[in-house]
Amino acid sequence: MTQSRRVLVIGSGGREHAIAWKLVRDGAEVLVAPGNAGTAAIAENVPLTGDDIPALVALAQSRAIDLTVVGPEAPLVAGIVDVFTAAGLRIFGPTAKAAQLEGSKLFCKQILHRGDVPTAMFEEFRSIARAREYLLAREDVPVVVKADGLAAGKGVFVCKDRSAAVAALDTLSSDPQFATATTGILIEERLDGIEVSVMAITDGRTIITLPPLQDHKAAYDGDEGPNTGGMGAYCPTPFVDSELLTEIESRILVPTVHALRRAKVPFQGVLYAGLMLTAQGPKVLEFNARFGDPECQSLLVRLESSLLELFDAATDRRLDSVEPPVWCAGASATVVMAAEGYPGPIEKGRPIRGLLAAAGVAGVQVFHAATRSVAGTVVSDGGRVLAVTALGDSLAKAKLQAYAGVREIRWQGAWCRKDISDKALAFEWAAAADAFDPDGVPDSIATDAGGDTMLGVGQ
Ligand code: AMP
Ligand code: GLY
């Protein structure tokens, strides 16, 4: 009998649960650091976090880990890949320099410029005062104000006019959480259109483009409310057909990978393009240096071939030798169940009921996003608590099954968006009539999400 491969996954969210789940299906023995109650059920949790890089190196050495996979961006930006590689350990993900594609919006823009990749026009400023002067001196148009560095998704302000943009600068200058992210400020043209996510696995030369998805970043139904890490996703999105995906690959992903290589920062790992489909074609809003969460969950339930093989081939710089991945037909949908108050302050430690019943719903996988076990009971441990994911032979069925799973689960204050994938369903249904209106999802399609067991939806 061949020995199973031992893989370490770093992170504790729904994305990492999905990665661990798929690697276990691929036959790997999986450790997760630190993991959550969901990963504990399928793998071995190790109580180390991504910022403790020396301890993770020691773990990889002492447990003879032959591949480490990094979920979140912070350890990548902090240089975990560089440290593991220097210690002779195999690790999947970009180096600290390459992860600047996500860690620094200015670096990202420079690479986009080098690669002649379409993106929003922008100006950069080294001080908030200069940015304010610029805003006051120019025409009053919608803009997006961005802090350069990582700010947990909070450093971006989409502003309808000048006064909103000036207010955004005031927030950036006064709130200490942005102190390290505001060494640079970008003021960007606001793009209009439909937002989609396209991810690719790359070894720095070859890329494998993955099926397109759509995230739901706003907290509440109808894209209302504050920005979040993502309240749901589905895959594939009909807004990107195969022709557009080929265009995105050739005009955006490939030139970005080449521009990085030419800049002597080859990128190995997951390249995530957040795109706006504008009237002038797809344009880059941002790049991430890792799988999206919850996009990863919707993606991996559809992957029939080996994820481990893709990670191995990218890590060993031989992606050109692997067979293209195989995706199951149909579609998937992921509904994030969140704690009361998210994305603001939340209470942790609420006992969760119904997980087994949800897992019994046809096609459903419940990925844990922030949970832990207390004396045998699974309790909530963060803002985005669960990512209930379902496969269906159509998107409508995947959505129905995901919400059937959601309906089985209860905890005090639990809530979710009820309209995950509705834009796509409206688009599919209106396609024949050529009458799609992205802001006008008909009530008949914004279906019975069945969220009446949940409190506070759309508060
Ligand atoms: P980012 O972190 O750069 O992806 O920005 C977060 C979110 O802000 C994106 O997902 C978009 O919804 C929005 N956004 C960012 N840049 C722009 C832009 N130039 N035009 C319109 N919306 C934007
Ligand atoms: N869901 C968006 C992200 O992972 O950045």
PDB file of all heavy atoms in Angstrom, residues 15 73 102 197 215-217 228-233 272 286 288 290-296 384, ligand 2:
ATOM      1  N   ARG A  15     -12.916  28.634   3.740  1.00  0.00           N
ATOM      2  CA  ARG A  15     -12.013  28.310   2.628  1.00  0.00           C
ATOM      3  C   ARG A  15     -11.094  27.150   3.007  1.00  0.00           C
ATOM      4  O   ARG A  15     -10.933  26.182   2.259  1.00  0.00           O
ATOM      5  CB  ARG A  15     -11.196  29.572   2.305  1.00  0.00           C
ATOM      6  CG  ARG A  15      -9.998  29.330   1.416  1.00  0.00           C
ATOM      7  CD  ARG A  15      -9.219  30.632   1.208  1.00  0.00           C
ATOM      8  NE  ARG A  15      -8.962  31.319   2.468  1.00  0.00           N
ATOM      9  CZ  ARG A  15      -8.866  32.635   2.610  1.00  0.00           C
ATOM     10  NH1 ARG A  15      -8.969  33.421   1.574  1.00  0.00           N
ATOM     11  NH2 ARG A  15      -8.642  33.172   3.794  1.00  0.00           N
ATOM     12  N   GLU A  73      -4.372  35.663   3.305  1.00  0.00           N
ATOM     13  CA  GLU A  73      -3.324  36.513   2.728  1.00  0.00           C
ATOM     14  C   GLU A  73      -2.257  36.941   3.730  1.00  0.00           C
ATOM     15  O   GLU A  73      -1.087  37.119   3.361  1.00  0.00           O
ATOM     16  CB  GLU A  73      -3.937  37.756   2.070  1.00  0.00           C
ATOM     17  CG  GLU A  73      -4.706  38.711   2.983  1.00  0.00           C
ATOM     18  CD  GLU A  73      -6.140  38.289   3.247  1.00  0.00           C
ATOM     19  OE1 GLU A  73      -6.472  37.111   3.006  1.00  0.00           O
ATOM     20  OE2 GLU A  73      -6.923  39.141   3.716  1.00  0.00           O
ATOM     21  N   GLU A 102      -1.590  41.618  -3.752  1.00  0.00           N
ATOM     22  CA  GLU A 102      -2.754  41.866  -2.888  1.00  0.00           C
ATOM     23  C   GLU A 102      -2.411  42.843  -1.774  1.00  0.00           C
ATOM     24  O   GLU A 102      -3.242  43.666  -1.387  1.00  0.00           O
ATOM     25  CB  GLU A 102      -3.253  40.547  -2.266  1.00  0.00           C
ATOM     26  CG  GLU A 102      -4.343  40.790  -1.229  1.00  0.00           C
ATOM     27  CD  GLU A 102      -5.126  39.550  -0.827  1.00  0.00           C
ATOM     28  OE1 GLU A 102      -4.792  38.444  -1.289  1.00  0.00           O
ATOM     29  OE2 GLU A 102      -6.083  39.702  -0.029  1.00  0.00           O
ATOM     30  N   SER A 197     -15.660  37.204 -10.126  1.00  0.00           N
ATOM     31  CA  SER A 197     -14.334  36.762  -9.675  1.00  0.00           C
ATOM     32  C   SER A 197     -13.848  35.648 -10.593  1.00  0.00           C
ATOM     33  O   SER A 197     -14.585  34.693 -10.847  1.00  0.00           O
ATOM     34  CB  SER A 197     -14.408  36.168  -8.265  1.00  0.00           C
ATOM     35  OG  SER A 197     -15.111  37.004  -7.392  1.00  0.00           O
ATOM     36  N   ASP A 215     -19.300  36.655  -6.193  1.00  0.00           N
ATOM     37  CA  ASP A 215     -19.366  36.806  -4.739  1.00  0.00           C
ATOM     38  C   ASP A 215     -20.526  37.757  -4.412  1.00  0.00           C
ATOM     39  O   ASP A 215     -21.068  38.407  -5.319  1.00  0.00           O
ATOM     40  CB  ASP A 215     -18.024  37.428  -4.296  1.00  0.00           C
ATOM     41  CG  ASP A 215     -17.840  37.464  -2.796  1.00  0.00           C
ATOM     42  OD1 ASP A 215     -18.614  36.855  -2.061  1.00  0.00           O
ATOM     43  OD2 ASP A 215     -16.878  38.146  -2.358  1.00  0.00           O
ATOM     44  N   HIS A 216     -20.916  37.837  -3.174  1.00  0.00           N
ATOM     45  CA  HIS A 216     -21.943  38.793  -2.729  1.00  0.00           C
ATOM     46  C   HIS A 216     -21.342  39.545  -1.564  1.00  0.00           C
ATOM     47  O   HIS A 216     -21.385  39.080  -0.425  1.00  0.00           O
ATOM     48  CB  HIS A 216     -23.215  38.059  -2.306  1.00  0.00           C
ATOM     49  CG  HIS A 216     -23.882  37.320  -3.428  1.00  0.00           C
ATOM     50  ND1 HIS A 216     -23.297  36.278  -4.094  1.00  0.00           N
ATOM     51  CD2 HIS A 216     -25.097  37.504  -4.014  1.00  0.00           C
ATOM     52  CE1 HIS A 216     -24.119  35.839  -5.035  1.00  0.00           C
ATOM     53  NE2 HIS A 216     -25.215  36.570  -5.010  1.00  0.00           N
ATOM     54  N   LYS A 217     -20.743  40.710  -1.846  1.00  0.00           N
ATOM     55  CA  LYS A 217     -19.930  41.376  -0.815  1.00  0.00           C
ATOM     56  C   LYS A 217     -20.744  42.206   0.155  1.00  0.00           C
ATOM     57  O   LYS A 217     -20.360  42.361   1.310  1.00  0.00           O
ATOM     58  CB  LYS A 217     -18.877  42.261  -1.488  1.00  0.00           C
ATOM     59  CG  LYS A 217     -17.794  41.414  -2.107  1.00  0.00           C
ATOM     60  CD  LYS A 217     -16.550  42.189  -2.450  1.00  0.00           C
ATOM     61  CE  LYS A 217     -15.513  41.190  -2.894  1.00  0.00           C
ATOM     62  NZ  LYS A 217     -14.538  41.660  -3.817  1.00  0.00           N
ATOM     63  N   THR A 228     -18.667  43.264   3.285  1.00  0.00           N
ATOM     64  CA  THR A 228     -18.262  42.157   4.165  1.00  0.00           C
ATOM     65  C   THR A 228     -17.163  41.372   3.464  1.00  0.00           C
ATOM     66  O   THR A 228     -16.801  41.674   2.326  1.00  0.00           O
ATOM     67  CB  THR A 228     -19.436  41.184   4.389  1.00  0.00           C
ATOM     68  OG1 THR A 228     -19.680  40.495   3.150  1.00  0.00           O
ATOM     69  CG2 THR A 228     -20.698  41.896   4.832  1.00  0.00           C
ATOM     70  N   GLY A 229     -16.711  40.314   4.103  1.00  0.00           N
ATOM     71  CA  GLY A 229     -15.764  39.411   3.444  1.00  0.00           C
ATOM     72  C   GLY A 229     -16.418  38.620   2.324  1.00  0.00           C
ATOM     73  O   GLY A 229     -15.742  38.028   1.491  1.00  0.00           O
ATOM     74  N   GLY A 230     -17.741  38.596   2.284  1.00  0.00           N
ATOM     75  CA  GLY A 230     -18.470  37.818   1.270  1.00  0.00           C
ATOM     76  C   GLY A 230     -19.573  37.025   1.945  1.00  0.00           C
ATOM     77  O   GLY A 230     -19.311  36.248   2.857  1.00  0.00           O
ATOM     78  N   MET A 231     -20.803  37.234   1.512  1.00  0.00           N
ATOM     79  CA  MET A 231     -21.969  36.595   2.152  1.00  0.00           C
ATOM     80  C   MET A 231     -22.486  35.395   1.373  1.00  0.00           C
ATOM     81  O   MET A 231     -23.457  34.759   1.780  1.00  0.00           O
ATOM     82  CB  MET A 231     -23.100  37.622   2.301  1.00  0.00           C
ATOM     83  CG  MET A 231     -22.785  38.782   3.225  1.00  0.00           C
ATOM     84  SD  MET A 231     -22.380  38.260   4.911  1.00  0.00           S
ATOM     85  CE  MET A 231     -23.924  37.553   5.450  1.00  0.00           C
ATOM     86  N   GLY A 232     -21.845  35.106   0.236  1.00  0.00           N
ATOM     87  CA  GLY A 232     -22.283  33.958  -0.536  1.00  0.00           C
ATOM     88  C   GLY A 232     -21.655  34.003  -1.908  1.00  0.00           C
ATOM     89  O   GLY A 232     -21.126  35.042  -2.329  1.00  0.00           O
ATOM     90  N   ALA A 233     -21.696  32.885  -2.603  1.00  0.00           N
ATOM     91  CA  ALA A 233     -21.099  32.808  -3.940  1.00  0.00           C
ATOM     92  C   ALA A 233     -21.806  31.700  -4.704  1.00  0.00           C
ATOM     93  O   ALA A 233     -22.515  30.879  -4.102  1.00  0.00           O
ATOM     94  CB  ALA A 233     -19.611  32.504  -3.841  1.00  0.00           C
ATOM     95  N   TYR A 272      -6.166  35.648  -7.989  1.00  0.00           N
ATOM     96  CA  TYR A 272      -7.609  35.916  -7.929  1.00  0.00           C
ATOM     97  C   TYR A 272      -7.855  37.299  -8.497  1.00  0.00           C
ATOM     98  O   TYR A 272      -7.368  38.294  -7.954  1.00  0.00           O
ATOM     99  CB  TYR A 272      -8.043  35.838  -6.465  1.00  0.00           C
ATOM    100  CG  TYR A 272      -9.424  36.353  -6.121  1.00  0.00           C
ATOM    101  CD1 TYR A 272     -10.297  35.555  -5.398  1.00  0.00           C
ATOM    102  CD2 TYR A 272      -9.847  37.644  -6.452  1.00  0.00           C
ATOM    103  CE1 TYR A 272     -11.559  36.023  -5.033  1.00  0.00           C
ATOM    104  CE2 TYR A 272     -11.102  38.106  -6.101  1.00  0.00           C
ATOM    105  CZ  TYR A 272     -11.947  37.294  -5.394  1.00  0.00           C
ATOM    106  OH  TYR A 272     -13.177  37.765  -5.043  1.00  0.00           O
ATOM    107  N   GLU A 286      -9.244  44.471  -8.393  1.00  0.00           N
ATOM    108  CA  GLU A 286      -8.214  44.099  -7.432  1.00  0.00           C
ATOM    109  C   GLU A 286      -7.681  42.725  -7.794  1.00  0.00           C
ATOM    110  O   GLU A 286      -8.339  41.965  -8.511  1.00  0.00           O
ATOM    111  CB  GLU A 286      -8.796  44.007  -6.014  1.00  0.00           C
ATOM    112  CG  GLU A 286      -9.861  42.935  -5.905  1.00  0.00           C
ATOM    113  CD  GLU A 286     -10.208  42.489  -4.485  1.00  0.00           C
ATOM    114  OE1 GLU A 286      -9.453  42.788  -3.557  1.00  0.00           O
ATOM    115  OE2 GLU A 286     -11.232  41.813  -4.337  1.00  0.00           O
ATOM    116  N   ASN A 288      -6.181  39.337  -5.657  1.00  0.00           N
ATOM    117  CA  ASN A 288      -5.840  38.695  -4.396  1.00  0.00           C
ATOM    118  C   ASN A 288      -4.823  37.598  -4.697  1.00  0.00           C
ATOM    119  O   ASN A 288      -4.743  37.111  -5.823  1.00  0.00           O
ATOM    120  CB  ASN A 288      -7.075  38.113  -3.718  1.00  0.00           C
ATOM    121  CG  ASN A 288      -8.011  39.217  -3.251  1.00  0.00           C
ATOM    122  OD1 ASN A 288      -7.564  40.289  -2.856  1.00  0.00           O
ATOM    123  ND2 ASN A 288      -9.307  38.980  -3.318  1.00  0.00           N
ATOM    124  N   ARG A 290      -4.642  34.551  -3.307  1.00  0.00           N
ATOM    125  CA  ARG A 290      -5.140  33.346  -2.625  1.00  0.00           C
ATOM    126  C   ARG A 290      -6.553  33.084  -3.107  1.00  0.00           C
ATOM    127  O   ARG A 290      -7.140  33.906  -3.800  1.00  0.00           O
ATOM    128  CB  ARG A 290      -5.147  33.602  -1.119  1.00  0.00           C
ATOM    129  CG  ARG A 290      -5.653  35.051  -0.886  1.00  0.00           C
ATOM    130  CD  ARG A 290      -6.577  35.305   0.169  1.00  0.00           C
ATOM    131  NE  ARG A 290      -7.083  36.660   0.107  1.00  0.00           N
ATOM    132  CZ  ARG A 290      -8.339  36.981  -0.116  1.00  0.00           C
ATOM    133  NH1 ARG A 290      -9.232  36.040  -0.320  1.00  0.00           N
ATOM    134  NH2 ARG A 290      -8.740  38.241  -0.149  1.00  0.00           N
ATOM    135  N   PHE A 291      -7.107  31.928  -2.712  1.00  0.00           N
ATOM    136  CA  PHE A 291      -8.503  31.659  -3.037  1.00  0.00           C
ATOM    137  C   PHE A 291      -9.406  32.670  -2.331  1.00  0.00           C
ATOM    138  O   PHE A 291      -9.149  33.044  -1.175  1.00  0.00           O
ATOM    139  CB  PHE A 291      -8.925  30.285  -2.527  1.00  0.00           C
ATOM    140  CG  PHE A 291      -8.469  29.119  -3.367  1.00  0.00           C
ATOM    141  CD1 PHE A 291      -7.632  28.155  -2.830  1.00  0.00           C
ATOM    142  CD2 PHE A 291      -8.915  28.959  -4.670  1.00  0.00           C
ATOM    143  CE1 PHE A 291      -7.234  27.059  -3.587  1.00  0.00           C
ATOM    144  CE2 PHE A 291      -8.523  27.862  -5.430  1.00  0.00           C
ATOM    145  CZ  PHE A 291      -7.682  26.915  -4.884  1.00  0.00           C
ATOM    146  N   GLY A 292     -10.495  33.052  -2.979  1.00  0.00           N
ATOM    147  CA  GLY A 292     -11.508  33.860  -2.303  1.00  0.00           C
ATOM    148  C   GLY A 292     -12.287  33.004  -1.312  1.00  0.00           C
ATOM    149  O   GLY A 292     -12.389  31.788  -1.461  1.00  0.00           O
ATOM    150  N   ASP A 293     -12.833  33.650  -0.316  1.00  0.00           N
ATOM    151  CA  ASP A 293     -13.682  32.983   0.657  1.00  0.00           C
ATOM    152  C   ASP A 293     -14.974  33.804   0.722  1.00  0.00           C
ATOM    153  O   ASP A 293     -14.902  34.989   1.093  1.00  0.00           O
ATOM    154  CB  ASP A 293     -12.968  32.960   2.009  1.00  0.00           C
ATOM    155  CG  ASP A 293     -13.742  32.197   3.080  1.00  0.00           C
ATOM    156  OD1 ASP A 293     -14.942  31.963   2.886  1.00  0.00           O
ATOM    157  OD2 ASP A 293     -13.136  31.863   4.116  1.00  0.00           O
ATOM    158  N   PRO A 294     -16.123  33.327   0.289  1.00  0.00           N
ATOM    159  CA  PRO A 294     -16.535  31.927   0.118  1.00  0.00           C
ATOM    160  C   PRO A 294     -16.445  31.368  -1.294  1.00  0.00           C
ATOM    161  O   PRO A 294     -16.975  30.268  -1.538  1.00  0.00           O
ATOM    162  CB  PRO A 294     -17.999  31.978   0.551  1.00  0.00           C
ATOM    163  CG  PRO A 294     -18.482  33.296   0.028  1.00  0.00           C
ATOM    164  CD  PRO A 294     -17.304  34.234   0.180  1.00  0.00           C
ATOM    165  N   GLU A 295     -15.785  32.053  -2.236  1.00  0.00           N
ATOM    166  CA  GLU A 295     -15.721  31.515  -3.596  1.00  0.00           C
ATOM    167  C   GLU A 295     -15.097  30.117  -3.623  1.00  0.00           C
ATOM    168  O   GLU A 295     -15.502  29.249  -4.390  1.00  0.00           O
ATOM    169  CB  GLU A 295     -14.877  32.434  -4.494  1.00  0.00           C
ATOM    170  CG  GLU A 295     -15.513  33.779  -4.790  1.00  0.00           C
ATOM    171  CD  GLU A 295     -15.051  34.861  -3.837  1.00  0.00           C
ATOM    172  OE1 GLU A 295     -14.881  34.563  -2.635  1.00  0.00           O
ATOM    173  OE2 GLU A 295     -14.855  35.991  -4.287  1.00  0.00           O
ATOM    174  N   CYS A 296     -14.078  29.923  -2.784  1.00  0.00           N
ATOM    175  CA  CYS A 296     -13.357  28.646  -2.761  1.00  0.00           C
ATOM    176  C   CYS A 296     -14.308  27.471  -2.487  1.00  0.00           C
ATOM    177  O   CYS A 296     -14.195  26.407  -3.098  1.00  0.00           O
ATOM    178  CB  CYS A 296     -12.282  28.731  -1.682  1.00  0.00           C
ATOM    179  SG  CYS A 296     -11.257  27.281  -1.547  1.00  0.00           S
ATOM    180  N   ARG A 384     -18.504  35.423  10.251  1.00  0.00           N
ATOM    181  CA  ARG A 384     -19.037  34.492   9.259  1.00  0.00           C
ATOM    182  C   ARG A 384     -18.850  33.099   9.852  1.00  0.00           C
ATOM    183  O   ARG A 384     -17.722  32.640  10.020  1.00  0.00           O
ATOM    184  CB  ARG A 384     -18.294  34.648   7.938  1.00  0.00           C
ATOM    185  CG  ARG A 384     -18.564  35.998   7.284  1.00  0.00           C
ATOM    186  CD  ARG A 384     -18.033  36.062   5.861  1.00  0.00           C
ATOM    187  NE  ARG A 384     -16.594  35.928   5.775  1.00  0.00           N
ATOM    188  CZ  ARG A 384     -15.926  35.775   4.638  1.00  0.00           C
ATOM    189  NH1 ARG A 384     -16.565  35.714   3.496  1.00  0.00           N
ATOM    190  NH2 ARG A 384     -14.611  35.677   4.636  1.00  0.00           N
TER     191      ARG A 384
HETATM  192  N1  GLY B   2     -14.720  36.965  -1.013  1.00  0.00           N
HETATM  193  C1  GLY B   2     -13.761  37.912  -1.344  1.00  0.00           C
HETATM  194  C2  GLY B   2     -12.403  37.610  -0.904  1.00  0.00           C
HETATM  195  O1  GLY B   2     -12.101  36.518  -0.476  1.00  0.00           O
HETATM  196  O2  GLY B   2     -11.539  38.484  -0.986  1.00  0.00           O
END
